[in-house]
Amino acid sequence: MSSFEADWPALREALATGIRAAATPERTDRLFPGDIAQFEVDALSLAHGAAGVLYALHSTGAGVDQAHLDWLVAAERRRPPRPGLYTGSHGVAYTLDLLGRTAEARELLDQLLPLPLEAQGNDLAAGLPGTVLTLLHFARTAPELLGHALAAAELLAERQDKLPAPAEAPIGLLLGGAGQALALLRLHERTGHTELLDRAEQTLEAELARCVLLPDGPRVLPYLQQDGTGIGPVLTELLRLRLGPPGRPGAAARRRGRGTRQPCRTPVPLPRVRPAGQCG
């Protein structure tokens, strides 16, 4: 075993310096080089574009160049707003707010609010669950937005009742039911409405029911975006909210009584949207 100990702050700074040096603010089509999906999906987004890179720099403590934030604001203003937490303008608004551009973030959110919820999908990447989470973030300082979040969740629940996910639909965090459940859980935490918690549990149960165990089958996708890996963190959150923290009296017994399903994986084709985390 090597005795080498990495200087993580130095490594982080070296990586961040390289990322910032690669930026091309003179271009209007993208800010950072990276995944080709930024041209196919969204060059500003959290999943593939400038917002995701700036978010990563900020969240690791590396710092963000204000000129790059200026670029993101200007680029977003040049286009019509499009819904989507990971692949649209909701994620840009969230990132701008997180990085201190609160006025520009709220300006963008106000442009997103009139967009019809009916035109949004059911996935976390670009649909109603991401809208719910974005509105919950902004509702911390603008409580009137909570009603908008509840309206989006109500529409999502109506769709779940009318048209359950087909067997071939993706599962997982960004594209499947796990993302829907996460939005419902966060909304339950904010409102205390137990029906949201019940709905989240039903959504995860339906998601798990479509999983397939593959002991030595074909290639699988262990990604947070799509596949069983993305279900695990949301299931953990459900257990925390449903059963209470591990130290709570009776929690261990309740967990044993409910049981735990085995991890699952699905033999699905490669997604058109690349795994989250491969920002560009």
Side-chain angles (χ1 to χ4, degrees):
M1 195 152 174
S2 173
S3 60
F4 171 75
E5 293 187 6
D7 184 346
W8 295 115
L11 286 172
R12 179 194 63 188
E13 184 56 33
L15 287 169
T17 298
I19 291 171
R20 286 190 286 263
T24 54
E26 69 277 6
R27 291 178 58 160
T28 58
D29 59 337
R30 58 93 164 147
L31 179 59
F32 297 99
D35 199 320
I36 192 65
Q38 65 181 313
F39 301 111
E40 300 171 347
V41 182
D42 190 346
L44 311 186
S45 67
L46 269 174
H48 309 294
V53 178
L54 296 175
Y55 174 84
L57 289 170
H58 169 77
S59 63
T60 56
V64 172
D65 190 324
Q66 291 301 309
H68 296 161
L69 278 175
D70 292 340
W71 185 96
L72 182 59
V73 170
E76 185 63 61
R77 284 173 173 166
R78 285 194 298 267
R79 70 176 189 177
R82 50 183 290 179
L85 176 56
Y86 280 90
T87 59
S89 300
H90 282 93
V92 175
Y94 169 78
T95 302
L96 290 174
D97 190 66
L98 190 68
L99 300 185
R101 297 295 183 93
T102 54
E104 294 95 332
R106 187 53 201 259
E107 172 191 321
L108 178 55
L109 185 67
D110 287 342
Q111 296 174 33
L112 288 163
L113 286 175
L115 299 181
L117 294 175
E118 292 76 12
Q120 298 184 29
N122 299 335
D123 58 281
L124 178 60
L128 293 169
T131 297
V132 170
L133 292 178
T134 304
L135 291 169
L136 283 176
H137 168 78
F138 282 94
R140 294 182 301 176
T141 55
E144 69 276 8
L145 294 174
L146 185 58
H148 293 274
L150 286 166
E154 182 178 353
L155 177 57
L156 179 63
E158 290 176 3
R159 289 179 178 177
Q160 289 179 333
D161 291 338
K162 292 180 180 178
L163 190 64
E168 67 275 10
I171 68 168
L173 187 60
L174 263 64
L175 301 181
Q180 299 174 17
L182 178 62
L184 296 169
L185 290 174
R186 292 290 180 254
L187 195 55
H188 160 74
E189 286 185 287
R190 179 62 186 270
T191 65
H193 295 170
T194 55
E195 61 269 23
L196 292 168
L197 185 61
D198 294 339
R199 171 75 62 170
E201 183 170 3
Q202 294 166 10
T203 302
L204 282 175
E205 286 178 347
E207 188 90 327
L208 288 167
R210 295 193 298 115
C211 290
V212 187
L213 291 174
L214 295 174
D216 28 15
R219 172 187 54 80
V220 294
L221 301 175
Y223 299 145
L224 280 173
Q225 172 183 272
Q226 178 175 320
D227 204 39
T229 304
I231 302 176
V234 185
L235 184 58
T236 300
E237 285 296 286
L238 172 66
L239 291 173
R240 177 180 66 83
L241 293 168
R242 180 66 86 186
L243 307 179
R248 180 179 172 185
R254 286 194 297 275
R255 281 182 170 80
R256 287 195 298 271
R258 295 179 70 89
T260 303
R261 294 175 186 258
Q262 296 181 1
C264 60
R265 299 175 293 175
T266 52
V268 295
L270 286 170
R272 295 178 58 186
V273 181
R274 287 156 179 78
Q278 294 183 2
C279 297

